[in-house]
Amino acid sequence: MSKQSQWKTSTGFILASAGSAIGLGAMWKFPYMAGIYGGGAFLLMFLIFTIFIGLPLLIMEFTIGKLGRTYTTAIFGKLSNKKWTNVIGWSGNLAVFVLFGFYSVVGGWIMIYIAQVAMQIIGLRDGTLGSIQFEQVISSPLYTMLGQGSFILVTMVIVMLGVEHGLEKASKVMMPLLFIFLLLIVVRSLSLEGASEGVRFLLEPRMEELSMEGILFALGQSFFALSLGTTGMITYASYAPKEMTIKTSALSIVIMNIIVALLAGLAIFPAINAFGYKPEEGPGLLFKVLPHVFEKMSFGPGFYFIFLILFLFAALTSSISLLELNVSNFTKNDNRKRGKVALIGSILVFIISIPATLSFSTLSHVHFLAGTIFDNMDFLVSNILMPLGALATTLFVGQLLKKEDLKSVFGNDRLKIFMPWYYLVKYVLPVVILLVFVIQFFN
């Protein structure tokens, strides 16, 4: 059996984990969810859930990964000596499989936009950036499936290259560039006439506009944005070097995630107000607004093309972690099987996600429960499988693992936070997550 994969540096681990967390969760999903559920009020609840629930859970997943150091469908049984607990790992495996399915749909949209803008730049397509109609793009079954297939293909190639040469190297390039260009867009968006109203919408918490549904979705967004409850972060931590500090790594990732979400909001909402869009436009918000922002810039098409590439990077850093979890579980640390498993997994994801891809075209008439097939896949992962996975993991850590074992990988505890964290995971968080499930059921 070949040696288990490992990050070369702690920085590579943090950037890759941050990329997994940030991705479409912060840049694509947060702005439109905030637009639907009250702007500043949604942001406030998201921040509260991320800091007081998301951060402790992220530390918990990192602790399990560093303590167990194996694939997630075996790590729970290894740590507890109870094989039945591996069902938590298999549940996470299912969650990321479904998540990658609808995630790749959005990745496909990005690929289509990249192709459209590239054709404009080289003169093969007439019109302006604003003339690219989002509804027209997603209503083409052929284009959306080609785009999705291309996105899955790129993800597969990077995962095939392995942890150090694929995941780590890609993240070290993608993440810094993403921050730089996002800042550029924020500066331009804030300079637009009427931008202040958009800033006020994002930052002013109008609690009277926040519904119970909005609170539940804010919690779901905090799980989605940090990739919690899927055991993906456990996988990444199992590759971590021994010198990695769990608390510092988790806090760095949470801070980066919050910053990118805020920057995405500041890029979008001022522009929404400036161009007369409604905040509750939904999943297409980012694709409808940003072309108009770049259209106002000098060399706008070129800058928009670069941004789309970086937006693709953000999506890939997350999709890579989703495919990597399945690869890790099915290769069982034997890297000789990595290529074959990545190929088979990618083909299966493409097949199961076809209904989600067609949710805006051929199957647009199919609506049930949360809405379209795409909406239901999103709801299933964000509001059911992720919180359920987090609940099971907190019960596992709090009730089955020894406190001394957990403390042994916690690192230097000068601030004396281990005990508060331990009791939070053992007694408080399971009750909070369970309560949310009950409220969601009756709601």
Side-chain angles (χ1 to χ4, degrees):
M1 182 175 289
S2 63
K3 183 180 178 181
Q4 187 195 17
S5 300
Q6 188 172 11
W7 304 110
K8 187 176 181 180
T9 63
S10 294
T11 301
F13 163 73
I14 291 173
L15 288 175
S17 299
S20 171
I22 290 169
L24 295 185
M27 288 192 61
W28 165 69
K29 194 173 182 183
F30 173 79
Y32 89 75
M33 294 295 285
I36 294 173
Y37 294 109
F42 182 87
L43 171 62
L44 178 62
M45 298 308 301
F46 169 71
L47 291 175
I48 291 172
F49 287 139
T50 299
I51 294 169
F52 294 103
I53 297 180
L55 178 58
L57 290 177
L58 185 58
I59 292 173
M60 177 188 70
E61 294 203 1
F62 281 173
T63 301
I64 294 172
K66 195 173 182 185
L67 192 62
R69 291 196 167 281
T70 190
Y71 48 97
T72 59
T73 52
I75 200 168
F76 294 93
K78 176 183 177 181
L79 292 175
S80 65
N81 291 319
K82 300 178 189 300
K83 285 191 176 182
W84 62 267
T85 58
N86 285 328
V87 71
I88 302 172
W90 285 108
S91 174
N93 211 90
L94 172 63
V96 296
F97 196 75
V98 178
L99 177 55
F100 191 18
F102 84 84
Y103 204 98
S104 62
V105 176
V106 185
W109 297 345
I110 301 172
M111 300 291 275
I112 296 171
Y113 265 70
I114 287 174
Q116 297 248 23
V117 175
M119 287 192 291
Q120 273 193 13
I121 291 174
I122 63 178
L124 294 179
R125 185 181 184 279
D126 296 327
T128 61
L129 293 177
S131 67
I132 303 175
Q133 297 297 312
F134 177 70
E135 287 78 9
Q136 187 176 348
V137 167
I138 65 174
S139 64
S140 169
L142 177 61
Y143 287 155
T144 51
M145 289 179 67
L146 282 174
Q148 182 192 23
S150 301
F151 179 79
I152 293 174
L153 179 63
V154 175
T155 302
M156 180 188 73
V157 170
I158 295 174
V159 171
M160 281 180 169
L161 291 173
V163 171
E164 182 181 333
H165 298 292
L167 281 66
E168 185 166 357
K169 284 187 176 180
S171 298
K172 283 183 175 179
V173 173
M174 293 175 184
M175 295 309 298
L177 288 174
L178 176 64
F179 273 96
I180 292 169
F181 271 83
L182 194 50
L183 280 170
L184 175 67
I185 298 165
V186 170
V187 171
R188 186 65 186 96
S189 185
L190 291 176
S191 69
L192 295 169
E193 186 177 348
S196 59
E197 286 301 314
V199 174
R200 188 176 296 112
F201 174 82
L202 175 65
L203 300 181
E204 184 181 307
R206 298 171 301 281
M207 301 308 293
E208 68 276 5
E209 296 182 17
L210 186 64
S211 63
M212 178 56 69
E213 184 180 72
I215 294 173
L216 295 173
F217 274 94
L219 177 63
Q221 175 63 18
S222 71
F223 280 90
F224 187 94
L226 290 174
S227 298
L228 296 170
T230 64
T231 68
M233 288 303 191
I234 295 176
T235 299
Y236 270 24
S238 73
Y239 300 153
K242 292 182 179 180
E243 66 271 16
M244 182 203 79
T245 305
I246 289 173
K247 303 185 297 296
T248 304
S249 300
L251 183 61
S252 301
I253 291 162
V254 166
I255 290 172
M256 281 191 278
N257 184 68
I258 290 173
I259 289 173
V260 171
L262 284 170
L263 289 177
L266 290 173
I268 292 292
F269 291 111
I272 285 175
N273 190 70
F275 296 116
Y277 284 98
K278 295 180 180 179
E280 61 272 15
E281 289 281 348
L285 186 61
L286 197 72
F287 297 94
K288 294 177 182 179
V289 176
L290 285 187
H292 291 284
V293 177
F294 279 97
E295 206 168 63
K296 298 287 184 179
M297 291 184 184
S298 299
F299 309 107
F303 278 114
Y304 187 44
F305 179 78
I306 294 172
F307 172 76
L308 286 171
I309 295 296
L310 295 173
F311 187 26
L312 176 65
F313 286 174
L316 284 171
T317 52
S318 293
S319 64
I320 286 166
S321 70
L322 301 178
L323 181 57
E324 176 63 27
L325 174 62
N326 283 279
V327 168
S328 172
N329 284 332
F330 286 100
T331 59
K332 302 185 186 302
N333 295 335
D334 185 353
N335 274 320
R336 292 170 298 183
K337 301 176 183 177
R338 173 175 286 271
K340 181 179 179 181
V341 172
L343 175 62
I344 295 172
S346 298
I347 293 172
L348 290 175
V349 166
F350 178 74
I351 293 171
I352 68 109
S353 59
I354 288 176
T357 312
L358 302 180
S359 292
F360 306 93
S361 55
T362 311
L363 299 178
S364 60
H365 62 285
V366 179
H367 280 250
F368 59 98
L369 299 177
T372 63
I373 297 172
F374 177 90
D375 294 330
N376 276 281
M377 289 178 73
D378 184 0
F379 185 86
L380 174 64
V381 173
S382 302
N383 295 75
I384 297 177
L385 292 179
M386 280 183 158
L388 190 62
L391 174 61
T393 309
T394 54
L395 291 172
F396 171 84
V397 171
Q399 308 305 319
L400 296 179
L401 296 189
K402 295 178 181 179
K403 185 164 60 175
E404 294 74 20
D405 292 339
L406 296 170
K407 194 171 184 178
S408 68
V409 294
F410 211 75
N412 192 308
D413 195 26
R414 288 192 299 267
L415 299 178
K416 306 297 182 185
I417 65 172
F418 173 76
M419 290 306 294
W421 169 81
Y422 177 73
Y423 286 115
L424 187 66
V425 170
K426 185 177 179 70
Y427 297 113
V428 179
L429 292 185
V431 175
V432 171
I433 298 172
L434 191 59
L435 182 62
V436 168
F437 266 116
V438 173
I439 294 172
Q440 183 170 260
F441 176 77
F442 285 105
N443 189 58

